[in-house]
Short mmCIF file of all heavy atoms in Angstrom, two decimals:
data_model
loop_
_atom_site.label_atom_id
_atom_site.label_comp_id
_atom_site.label_asym_id
_atom_site.label_seq_id
_atom_site.Cartn_x
_atom_site.Cartn_y
_atom_site.Cartn_z
N GLN A 627 -114.52 28.53 42.00
CA GLN A 627 -114.08 29.38 40.89
C GLN A 627 -114.30 28.64 39.58
O GLN A 627 -113.87 27.50 39.42
CB GLN A 627 -112.61 29.74 41.06
CG GLN A 627 -112.08 30.64 39.97
CD GLN A 627 -110.61 30.96 40.15
OE1 GLN A 627 -109.99 30.51 41.11
NE2 GLN A 627 -110.05 31.73 39.25
N VAL A 628 -114.94 29.31 38.64
CA VAL A 628 -115.19 28.72 37.34
C VAL A 628 -113.94 28.86 36.48
O VAL A 628 -113.37 29.94 36.35
CB VAL A 628 -116.37 29.42 36.65
CG1 VAL A 628 -116.61 28.83 35.29
CG2 VAL A 628 -117.63 29.30 37.51
N GLN A 629 -113.52 27.76 35.90
CA GLN A 629 -112.27 27.78 35.14
C GLN A 629 -112.30 26.76 34.02
O GLN A 629 -112.88 25.68 34.15
CB GLN A 629 -111.09 27.47 36.07
CG GLN A 629 -109.73 27.73 35.47
CD GLN A 629 -108.61 27.53 36.47
OE1 GLN A 629 -108.79 26.89 37.51
NE2 GLN A 629 -107.46 28.08 36.19
N LEU A 630 -111.69 27.12 32.90
CA LEU A 630 -111.51 26.24 31.75
C LEU A 630 -110.03 26.15 31.45
O LEU A 630 -109.37 27.19 31.34
CB LEU A 630 -112.26 26.77 30.54
CG LEU A 630 -113.78 26.93 30.69
CD1 LEU A 630 -114.34 27.76 29.55
CD2 LEU A 630 -114.45 25.56 30.72
N VAL A 631 -109.52 24.94 31.30
CA VAL A 631 -108.10 24.76 31.02
C VAL A 631 -107.96 23.85 29.81
O VAL A 631 -108.28 22.67 29.86
CB VAL A 631 -107.35 24.17 32.22
CG1 VAL A 631 -105.88 23.98 31.87
CG2 VAL A 631 -107.50 25.07 33.44
N GLU A 632 -107.47 24.43 28.72
CA GLU A 632 -107.26 23.69 27.48
C GLU A 632 -105.84 23.14 27.42
O GLU A 632 -104.90 23.77 27.92
CB GLU A 632 -107.51 24.58 26.26
CG GLU A 632 -108.90 25.18 26.18
CD GLU A 632 -109.01 26.56 26.82
OE1 GLU A 632 -108.09 26.95 27.57
OE2 GLU A 632 -110.02 27.25 26.57
N SER A 633 -105.69 21.99 26.77
CA SER A 633 -104.37 21.39 26.59
C SER A 633 -104.37 20.48 25.38
O SER A 633 -105.44 20.18 24.82
CB SER A 633 -103.98 20.59 27.85
OG SER A 633 -104.89 19.53 28.06
N GLY A 634 -103.18 20.07 24.97
CA GLY A 634 -103.06 19.09 23.89
C GLY A 634 -102.60 19.65 22.56
O GLY A 634 -102.40 18.90 21.60
N GLY A 635 -102.43 20.95 22.48
CA GLY A 635 -101.97 21.53 21.23
C GLY A 635 -100.51 21.23 20.95
O GLY A 635 -99.82 20.63 21.77
N GLY A 636 -100.07 21.66 19.78
CA GLY A 636 -98.68 21.44 19.41
C GLY A 636 -98.44 21.69 17.95
O GLY A 636 -99.30 22.22 17.25
N LEU A 637 -97.26 21.30 17.50
CA LEU A 637 -96.86 21.43 16.11
C LEU A 637 -97.04 20.08 15.43
O LEU A 637 -96.53 19.06 15.92
CB LEU A 637 -95.41 21.88 16.02
CG LEU A 637 -94.77 21.92 14.63
CD1 LEU A 637 -95.48 22.92 13.73
CD2 LEU A 637 -93.29 22.24 14.75
N VAL A 638 -97.73 20.07 14.31
CA VAL A 638 -97.98 18.83 13.59
C VAL A 638 -97.90 19.09 12.10
O VAL A 638 -98.18 20.21 11.64
CB VAL A 638 -99.36 18.24 14.00
CG1 VAL A 638 -100.50 19.18 13.60
CG2 VAL A 638 -99.57 16.85 13.44
N GLN A 639 -97.51 18.09 11.36
CA GLN A 639 -97.43 18.22 9.91
C GLN A 639 -98.82 18.09 9.29
O GLN A 639 -99.72 17.47 9.88
CB GLN A 639 -96.52 17.13 9.34
CG GLN A 639 -95.06 17.31 9.69
CD GLN A 639 -94.17 16.30 8.99
OE1 GLN A 639 -94.63 15.28 8.51
NE2 GLN A 639 -92.88 16.61 8.93
N PRO A 640 -99.01 18.67 8.12
CA PRO A 640 -100.29 18.49 7.42
C PRO A 640 -100.62 17.01 7.28
O PRO A 640 -99.74 16.19 6.99
CB PRO A 640 -100.04 19.13 6.06
CG PRO A 640 -99.00 20.18 6.34
CD PRO A 640 -98.12 19.58 7.38
N GLY A 641 -101.88 16.67 7.52
CA GLY A 641 -102.32 15.29 7.50
C GLY A 641 -102.23 14.59 8.85
O GLY A 641 -102.75 13.48 9.01
N GLY A 642 -101.62 15.24 9.80
CA GLY A 642 -101.45 14.65 11.12
C GLY A 642 -102.68 14.81 12.00
O GLY A 642 -103.72 15.34 11.56
N SER A 643 -102.55 14.36 13.24
CA SER A 643 -103.66 14.38 14.19
C SER A 643 -103.22 14.94 15.53
O SER A 643 -102.04 14.85 15.91
CB SER A 643 -104.18 12.95 14.41
OG SER A 643 -104.69 12.38 13.23
N LEU A 644 -104.18 15.52 16.22
CA LEU A 644 -104.00 15.97 17.60
C LEU A 644 -105.31 15.75 18.34
O LEU A 644 -106.39 15.77 17.74
CB LEU A 644 -103.64 17.46 17.67
CG LEU A 644 -102.22 17.89 17.34
CD1 LEU A 644 -102.14 19.41 17.30
CD2 LEU A 644 -101.22 17.32 18.31
N ARG A 645 -105.19 15.57 19.66
CA ARG A 645 -106.38 15.48 20.50
C ARG A 645 -106.28 16.56 21.58
O ARG A 645 -105.38 16.54 22.40
CB ARG A 645 -106.49 14.12 21.16
CG ARG A 645 -107.81 13.90 21.90
CD ARG A 645 -107.75 12.69 22.80
NE ARG A 645 -109.05 12.27 23.26
CZ ARG A 645 -109.26 11.57 24.38
NH1 ARG A 645 -108.24 11.22 25.12
NH2 ARG A 645 -110.48 11.22 24.71
N LEU A 646 -107.23 17.47 21.55
CA LEU A 646 -107.29 18.54 22.53
C LEU A 646 -108.21 18.14 23.69
O LEU A 646 -109.20 17.43 23.49
CB LEU A 646 -107.80 19.83 21.90
CG LEU A 646 -107.08 20.32 20.65
CD1 LEU A 646 -107.68 21.66 20.21
CD2 LEU A 646 -105.60 20.42 20.86
N SER A 647 -107.88 18.64 24.86
CA SER A 647 -108.71 18.42 26.04
C SER A 647 -109.04 19.75 26.69
O SER A 647 -108.23 20.69 26.62
CB SER A 647 -107.97 17.54 27.07
OG SER A 647 -107.66 16.27 26.54
N CYS A 648 -110.18 19.81 27.32
CA CYS A 648 -110.58 21.01 28.07
C CYS A 648 -111.22 20.56 29.36
O CYS A 648 -112.29 19.93 29.35
CB CYS A 648 -111.55 21.84 27.25
SG CYS A 648 -112.31 23.18 28.20
N ALA A 649 -110.56 20.88 30.45
CA ALA A 649 -111.07 20.52 31.78
C ALA A 649 -111.80 21.71 32.36
O ALA A 649 -111.25 22.82 32.44
CB ALA A 649 -109.91 20.10 32.67
N ALA A 650 -113.03 21.49 32.79
CA ALA A 650 -113.85 22.53 33.38
C ALA A 650 -113.98 22.31 34.88
O ALA A 650 -114.08 21.17 35.33
CB ALA A 650 -115.24 22.55 32.74
N SER A 651 -113.98 23.39 35.62
CA SER A 651 -114.18 23.31 37.06
C SER A 651 -115.09 24.44 37.49
O SER A 651 -115.17 25.48 36.82
CB SER A 651 -112.84 23.38 37.80
OG SER A 651 -112.15 24.57 37.49
N GLY A 652 -115.80 24.23 38.58
CA GLY A 652 -116.65 25.27 39.11
C GLY A 652 -118.04 25.32 38.52
O GLY A 652 -118.81 26.23 38.82
N ILE A 653 -118.36 24.37 37.62
CA ILE A 653 -119.70 24.32 37.04
C ILE A 653 -120.21 22.89 37.11
O ILE A 653 -119.42 21.95 37.23
CB ILE A 653 -119.73 24.81 35.57
CG1 ILE A 653 -118.87 23.89 34.68
CG2 ILE A 653 -119.29 26.25 35.48
CD1 ILE A 653 -119.04 24.18 33.20
N ILE A 654 -121.54 22.72 37.02
CA ILE A 654 -122.10 21.37 36.92
C ILE A 654 -122.03 21.01 35.44
O ILE A 654 -122.96 21.22 34.67
CB ILE A 654 -123.54 21.33 37.47
CG1 ILE A 654 -123.56 21.83 38.91
CG2 ILE A 654 -124.07 19.90 37.40
CD1 ILE A 654 -124.93 21.93 39.53
N PHE A 655 -120.89 20.49 35.07
CA PHE A 655 -120.49 20.31 33.67
C PHE A 655 -121.54 19.56 32.86
O PHE A 655 -121.85 19.94 31.73
CB PHE A 655 -119.16 19.55 33.65
CG PHE A 655 -118.60 19.28 32.29
CD1 PHE A 655 -117.93 20.25 31.58
CD2 PHE A 655 -118.75 18.02 31.70
CE1 PHE A 655 -117.42 20.00 30.33
CE2 PHE A 655 -118.24 17.76 30.45
CZ PHE A 655 -117.56 18.75 29.76
N SER A 656 -122.10 18.52 33.43
CA SER A 656 -123.00 17.65 32.67
C SER A 656 -124.27 18.34 32.20
O SER A 656 -124.94 17.86 31.29
CB SER A 656 -123.35 16.42 33.50
OG SER A 656 -124.00 16.81 34.70
N ARG A 657 -124.58 19.47 32.78
CA ARG A 657 -125.84 20.16 32.45
C ARG A 657 -125.74 21.01 31.18
O ARG A 657 -126.76 21.42 30.64
CB ARG A 657 -126.26 21.08 33.59
CG ARG A 657 -126.71 20.36 34.83
CD ARG A 657 -127.21 21.35 35.85
NE ARG A 657 -127.71 20.71 37.06
CZ ARG A 657 -128.15 21.36 38.12
NH1 ARG A 657 -128.18 22.69 38.13
NH2 ARG A 657 -128.58 20.69 39.17
N TYR A 658 -124.53 21.28 30.75
CA TYR A 658 -124.35 22.33 29.73
C TYR A 658 -123.80 21.81 28.41
O TYR A 658 -122.95 20.91 28.37
CB TYR A 658 -123.40 23.40 30.27
CG TYR A 658 -123.94 24.12 31.47
CD1 TYR A 658 -123.49 23.81 32.75
CD2 TYR A 658 -124.92 25.09 31.33
CE1 TYR A 658 -123.99 24.46 33.85
CE2 TYR A 658 -125.43 25.75 32.45
CZ TYR A 658 -124.96 25.43 33.69
OH TYR A 658 -125.47 26.08 34.79
N ALA A 659 -124.26 22.47 27.34
CA ALA A 659 -123.62 22.28 26.05
C ALA A 659 -122.27 22.98 26.07
O ALA A 659 -122.13 24.05 26.67
CB ALA A 659 -124.50 22.88 24.94
N MET A 660 -121.30 22.36 25.42
CA MET A 660 -119.95 22.89 25.38
C MET A 660 -119.50 23.02 23.93
O MET A 660 -120.01 22.35 23.03
CB MET A 660 -118.98 21.97 26.12
CG MET A 660 -119.29 21.79 27.60
SD MET A 660 -119.04 23.31 28.55
CE MET A 660 -117.26 23.54 28.40
N GLY A 661 -118.52 23.88 23.72
CA GLY A 661 -118.04 24.06 22.36
C GLY A 661 -116.54 24.29 22.30
O GLY A 661 -115.92 24.70 23.29
N TRP A 662 -115.99 23.99 21.15
CA TRP A 662 -114.62 24.34 20.82
C TRP A 662 -114.64 25.49 19.81
O TRP A 662 -115.45 25.47 18.87
CB TRP A 662 -113.86 23.15 20.24
CG TRP A 662 -113.38 22.18 21.26
CD1 TRP A 662 -113.97 21.01 21.63
CD2 TRP A 662 -112.18 22.29 22.04
NE1 TRP A 662 -113.22 20.39 22.60
CE2 TRP A 662 -112.12 21.15 22.87
CE3 TRP A 662 -111.15 23.23 22.12
CZ2 TRP A 662 -111.08 20.94 23.77
CZ3 TRP A 662 -110.13 23.02 23.02
CH2 TRP A 662 -110.09 21.88 23.83
N TYR A 663 -113.74 26.43 20.00
CA TYR A 663 -113.62 27.59 19.15
C TYR A 663 -112.14 27.74 18.77
O TYR A 663 -111.27 27.18 19.42
CB TYR A 663 -114.09 28.85 19.88
CG TYR A 663 -115.50 28.75 20.39
CD1 TYR A 663 -115.80 28.06 21.56
CD2 TYR A 663 -116.56 29.35 19.70
CE1 TYR A 663 -117.09 27.96 22.04
CE2 TYR A 663 -117.85 29.26 20.17
CZ TYR A 663 -118.11 28.56 21.34
OH TYR A 663 -119.40 28.45 21.79
#
């Protein structure tokens, strides 16, 4: 099963930082261009 699971969001003050992650399953991940939207 092809699936994308995003995580890492939250509430942050202006000027702050966050790191988002997206785990993909069900595809040969290394073959494809990926994007954040």
Side-chain angles (χ1 to χ4, degrees):
Q627 181 181 0
V628 179
Q629 192 175 18
L630 300 166
V631 179
E632 301 93 345
S633 62
L637 173 63
V638 63
Q639 291 186 342
S643 297
L644 283 173
R645 188 193 194 204
L646 306 184
S647 299
C648 170
S651 58
I653 62 171
I654 304 176
F655 180 80
S656 60
R657 290 185 178 177
Y658 297 102
M660 299 293 294
W662 280 98
Y663 303 79

